[in-house]
Amino acid sequence: MPDSLPFHATPVFPRGFRCASRNVGLKPTARDLTLFVSEVDATAAAVFTRNHFPGAPIILGRETIRGGVLRAVIANSKVSNVATGARGVDNARRMARAAATELGTSADRVLVSSTGVIGVQLPIEKIEAGVVGMTADLQLDPMVGAEGIMTTDSHPKALSASVGNATITWVAKGSGMIEPNMATMLSYIFTDAAFDAPTLDRLLRAAVTPSFNMLSVDTDTSTSDTCAILANGLAGPVDESAFLQALIAGCTRMTEILARDGEGAEHLLRVQVTGARDAREAHVVAKSIVNSPLVKTMVHGADPNVGRLLMAVGKCFDCTIQPTTTDAWINGYQVVARGERLSFDDAVVRDTLSREVVDIAVALGVGDGAATAYGCDFTKGYIEENAAYYSS
């Protein structure tokens, strides 16, 4: 569980990592460009969106990460450089070259990310001019870097924890257009532990599967999703099993933070499914519940309409569902037994649905498959945010 890992009270970078962010004119005043830098080349791995309209940084990133080595990540907000054709890819390459020039490295050691509105050409000249001199701003507070990648996020997001002699730090952004098939909107993980690239890739994929891959704010897979990990080795080797456990815990905790900061959200929704025929079916059912607009609005309104849970389970047509073995709980309070709604005190269920964190548990009773999904409620704020996103 995420709480089993003692995260640092204040996020810090591992040895050799620093960041800087500044406003370069993409936004009126807020920070809109971030550099994350390792003082030495770092082993690296990454996973990207599976959307069929990937942004130019994704196209370039898939090429860059084949080398398995990074020195830096440069990321901008406000403009995502998606649906921008060959010019967009060229601008992403120019962005990498600009960062590489500032850092004294090569462009193939720089991962590029962009997030924001789709279908607008990147103002690359502003980025090229703005990155000049950023090395003088490099500092140890990861929250500074997190600020520069925010779009509709209500706050910057960063975590860090120790594993043996090493540190792992997570920096992420995202609050809408989130149902990843690999990772969240933008998520960067930094460590001073030593791993080779194939091992790092395997560990990253093992960590995102139960965490970021189980996150959904609104069922929409972004065109810009990126999750990258950099390991510069300055702390030396660490126990691989302990590192993986910490990596999963941190990714899971960040998943919860991202879900709670969903656009307009007022509740973190966690859905645990047990007793499925296998892990795949548990995954499908958990996602079905967390993605249901009717379940989301039930949580938002603290409305004890638990038939919506049964609906969301029952519509998983390709799963083994037996009503007579299905039970359900809301924050530990049983509301369904053997497929039937229990007679319960509505006031008690309304009260438990009013909590900031709502845990829904469903036991299917047909196998040993289990999965947990993470999401949030739907509010008027989500509609207001996205009804004017392009114009804002």
Side-chain angles (χ1 to χ4, degrees):
M1 296 298 291
D3 291 339
S4 64
L5 182 68
F7 295 104
H8 299 152
T10 300
V12 297
F13 272 124
R15 297 170 183 84
F17 286 102
R18 292 179 294 166
C19 72
S21 66
R22 58 170 54 169
N23 175 273
V24 300
L26 306 183
K27 296 177 179 178
T29 57
R31 300 175 191 268
D32 52 25
L33 184 68
T34 287
L35 267 178
F36 297 102
V37 180
S38 173
E39 66 183 36
V40 297
D41 283 348
T43 301
V47 285
F48 302 98
T49 184
R50 294 177 61 193
N51 193 295
H52 288 297
F53 291 90
I58 303 298
I59 296 170
L60 177 59
R62 287 172 174 155
E63 174 186 313
T64 302
I65 205 63
R66 291 193 195 107
V69 178
L70 291 176
R71 184 70 176 275
V73 176
I74 184 170
N76 73 274
S77 54
K78 186 61 177 178
V79 179
S80 69
N81 196 7
V82 174
T84 51
R87 179 181 169 190
V89 176
D90 182 61
N91 284 340
R93 293 188 187 279
R94 288 175 63 178
M95 191 167 163
R97 287 197 298 269
T101 299
E102 173 66 14
L103 297 171
T105 187
S106 57
D108 62 355
R109 295 289 194 268
V110 179
L111 184 70
V112 172
S113 292
S114 299
T115 180
V117 70
I118 291 172
V120 175
Q121 290 291 343
L122 192 67
I124 187 61
E125 292 82 5
K126 292 183 178 180
I127 292 174
E128 288 174 326
V131 76
V132 175
M134 282 189 77
T135 51
D137 300 336
L138 290 172
Q139 55 187 283
L140 297 173
D141 182 2
M143 283 294 193
V144 171
E147 287 182 24
I149 60 174
M150 291 169 55
T151 48
T152 57
D153 303 65
S154 67
H155 60 89
K157 303 170 177 71
L159 297 168
S160 64
S162 299
V163 183
N165 193 41
T167 298
I168 311 176
T169 300
W170 297 258
V171 178
K173 64 82 56 184
S175 57
M177 197 187 286
I178 296 180
E179 185 183 20
N181 286 304
M182 38 55 60
T184 187
M185 293 283 287
L186 297 179
S187 182
Y188 309 114
I189 306 166
F190 308 96
T191 183
D192 48 10
F195 290 104
D196 59 41
T199 301
L200 203 61
D201 181 79
R202 174 171 51 80
L203 294 173
L204 178 63
R205 293 175 188 277
V208 302
T209 296
S211 58
F212 296 136
N213 271 351
M214 295 303 292
L215 167 64
S216 181
V217 167
D218 47 22
T219 81
D220 289 333
T221 300
S222 169
T223 53
S224 302
D225 287 348
T226 297
C227 182
I229 184 168
L230 285 70
N232 66 19
L234 294 182
V238 299
D239 180 79
E240 183 178 314
S241 177
F243 184 88
L244 178 58
Q245 290 180 11
L247 187 62
I248 292 172
C251 290
T252 302
R253 180 64 189 130
M254 185 59 80
T255 294
E256 293 183 346
I257 293 171
L258 291 162
R260 177 59 185 88
D261 197 36
E263 290 168 338
E266 296 177 0
H267 300 271
L268 167 63
L269 176 58
R270 295 185 296 213
V271 178
Q272 182 182 55
V273 173
T274 58
R277 188 182 69 172
D278 53 33
R280 184 199 69 81
E281 293 195 2
H283 178 118
V284 169
V285 174
K287 277 292 190 73
S288 177
I289 296 169
V290 84
N291 279 334
S292 166
L294 291 178
V295 172
K296 288 173 173 288
T297 50
M298 175 189 82
V299 171
H300 176 64
D303 179 24
N305 189 353
V306 299
R308 293 177 174 182
L309 298 180
L310 298 180
M311 172 279 300
V313 174
K315 71 178 183 178
C316 299
F317 308 127
D318 61 343
C319 296
T320 306
I321 307 296
Q322 296 180 3
T324 56
T325 63
T326 300
D327 300 330
W329 297 259
I330 299 175
N331 281 340
Y333 189 88
Q334 189 165 11
V335 293
V336 173
R338 296 177 296 281
E340 296 183 12
R341 180 190 186 277
L342 292 175
S343 177
F344 52 73
D345 186 336
D346 279 11
V348 172
V349 178
R350 286 184 187 278
D351 179 69
T352 196
L353 282 168
S354 298
R355 300 176 189 174
E356 183 177 0
V357 179
V358 175
D359 285 302
I360 293 175
V362 174
L364 297 176
V366 295
D368 57 7
T372 301
Y374 305 86
C376 58
D377 57 333
F378 263 163
T379 71
K380 292 179 182 178
Y382 181 88
I383 297 170
E384 292 167 353
E385 182 74 51
N386 287 284
Y389 183 76
Y390 183 83
S391 302
S392 59

